[in-house]
């Protein structure tokens, strides 16, 4: 239970942050969370943060408490306006919902109760001017926090995003984390400074082999959350507008598709000479975790 309360001095509010002591470099992090953002200005966060200024976020803000926001940034280039923010059909401030981040060397997907709310591909984040990918690719620490939007480095911008917590509000706001699961795939280091589509065969084959070597001993646990689901005020099917995607496949299906050289978005990317190798390595991975 993480709390945000009125400061003893009476000036402002004091929040709570928890940082894990171990680092993650690609994998899956899931948590059963009940947001504490029940009033404007209160922010609840589930993040993977790197020391290089990168972050993978799921945030809940009091100004729109019925949404979960999926966002990311690198090199401290925070842009709150580009988050995907689907509406949750179940109130996230009163119910526990499973949220999950699937972070792979070439893709990043956010889920709410098994539904993909956003997917980005590393190859689509290449910044020609900077000659680098704007994709989180360095080791990161898991953290949870509840905080007052006015305490940010840029409070005017943050309050515009999250709302304003009244200075005289004596309420106690509580974010609850019921369970956390972390599944690290391997220390697979993606190249940080090369244009997309270069040397794909060698990179995928080497990364796939390391994933097979480091395969977990058992399949990730699953949760039965009944009828929790997602909806959107827009019905376009476009993740950028906040529309929930169709039900996502099992986690290990995501992994096997990556090992076989497939993008999570469904687009085929089987480099010449790698398809058969990728399929074989995927089969080996699934066998290693007891799914085949």
């Amino acid at each position: 239970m993480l709390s945000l309360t009125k400061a003893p001095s009476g000036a402002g509010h004091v929040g709570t942050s928890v940082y894990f002591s171990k680092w993650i470099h690609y994998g899956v992090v899931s948590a059963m969370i009940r947001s504490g953002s029940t009033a404007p200005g209160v922010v609840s966060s589930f993040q993977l943060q790197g020391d290089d200024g990168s972050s993978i976020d799921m945030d809940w803000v009091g100004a729109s408490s019925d949404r979960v926001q999926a966002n990311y940034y690198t090199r401290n280039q925070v842009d709150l306006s580009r988050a995907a923010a689907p509406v949750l059909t179940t109130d996230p401030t009163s119910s526990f919902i499973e949220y999950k981040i699937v972070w792979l060397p070439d893709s990043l997907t956010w889920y709410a109760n098994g539904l993909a709310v956003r997917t980005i591909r590393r190859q689509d984040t290449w910044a020609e001017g900077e000659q680098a990918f704007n994709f989180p690719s360095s080791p990161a620490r898991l953290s949870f926090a509840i905080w007052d939007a006015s305490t940010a480095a840029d409070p005017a911008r943050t309050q515009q995003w999250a709302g304003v917590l009244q200075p005289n509000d004596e309420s106690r706001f509580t974010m609850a984390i019921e369970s956390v699961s972390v599944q690290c795939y391997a220390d697979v280091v993606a190249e940080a400074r090369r244009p997309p589509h270069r040397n794909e065969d060698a990179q995928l084959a080497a990364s796939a082999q390391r994933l097979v070597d480091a395969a977990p001993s058992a399949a990730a646990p699953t949760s039965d959350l009944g009828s929790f689901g997602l909806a959107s005020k827009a019905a376009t099917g476009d993740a950028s507008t906040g529309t929930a995607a169709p039900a996502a496949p099992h986690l290990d299906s995501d992994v096997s598709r990556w090992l076989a050289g497939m993008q999570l978005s469904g687009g085929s990317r089987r480099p010449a000479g790698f398809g058969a190798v990728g399929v074989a390595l995927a089969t080996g991975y699934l066998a290693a975790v007891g799914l085949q």
Side-chain angles (χ1 to χ4, degrees):
M1 306 290 284
L2 308 183
S3 296
L4 175 68
T5 58
K6 194 81 167 65
S9 64
H13 292 77
V14 178
T16 310
S17 298
V18 174
Y19 287 86
F20 280 50
S21 60
K22 295 184 178 180
W23 295 84
I24 301 167
H25 201 189
Y26 306 118
V28 176
V29 181
S30 59
M32 293 287 290
I33 297 173
R34 187 182 68 216
S35 165
S37 301
T38 55
V42 181
V43 184
S44 301
S45 298
F46 164 25
Q47 298 178 313
L48 289 169
Q49 295 181 305
D51 276 352
D52 62 348
S54 62
S55 186
I56 302 168
D57 303 353
M58 295 192 87
D59 299 304
W60 301 261
V61 300
S64 52
S65 61
D66 59 344
R67 297 174 180 267
V68 61
Q69 300 197 17
N71 205 358
Y72 73 100
Y73 53 86
T74 58
R75 299 184 291 280
N76 291 310
Q77 297 175 354
V78 183
D79 186 350
L80 300 173
S81 66
R82 71 178 184 185
V87 176
L88 297 164
T89 58
T90 299
D91 181 4
T93 66
S94 63
S95 302
F96 284 95
I97 298 174
E98 183 187 47
Y99 302 95
K100 180 164 60 181
I101 296 171
V102 177
W103 180 30
L104 297 174
D106 65 353
S107 64
L108 176 60
T109 304
W110 296 257
Y111 293 87
N113 188 39
L115 297 180
V117 299
R118 185 179 190 182
T119 294
I120 63 166
R121 299 184 301 171
R122 178 174 178 269
Q123 69 179 35
D124 296 332
T125 68
W126 178 253
E128 192 65 33
E130 301 174 30
Q131 287 293 291
F133 287 98
N134 290 325
F135 183 87
S137 57
S138 62
R141 282 194 298 170
L142 172 62
S143 70
F144 297 97
I146 184 168
W147 47 285
D148 176 2
S150 67
T151 62
D154 186 349
R157 184 177 59 166
T158 308
Q159 288 180 326
Q160 183 179 15
W161 166 63
V164 178
L165 180 58
Q166 297 304 312
N168 60 351
D169 194 327
E170 299 287 344
S171 302
R172 182 185 186 90
F173 303 97
T174 304
M175 175 186 185
I177 299 99
E178 185 177 73
S179 62
V180 179
S181 173
V182 178
Q183 181 184 3
C184 296
Y185 288 155
D187 185 19
V188 183
V189 181
E191 298 174 42
R193 301 182 64 83
R194 67 170 181 83
H197 310 305
R198 185 178 297 172
N199 299 324
E200 292 288 347
D201 289 11
Q203 182 198 19
L204 285 170
S207 297
Q209 185 58 59
R210 285 195 292 270
L211 288 180
V212 172
D213 293 342
S217 59
T222 58
S223 299
D224 181 7
L225 302 181
S227 60
F228 289 144
L230 291 168
S232 173
K233 293 178 181 177
T236 63
D238 183 348
S240 64
T241 65
T243 303
H250 189 274
L251 165 62
D252 293 283
S253 176
D254 287 342
V255 180
S256 64
R257 288 171 63 188
W258 179 74
L259 290 174
M262 300 292 288
Q263 293 294 344
L264 281 173
S265 63
S268 177
R269 184 171 59 83
R270 294 179 181 269
F274 180 73
V277 175
V279 171
L281 290 174
T283 301
Y285 173 83
L286 296 177
V289 299
L291 293 177
Q292 190 177 73

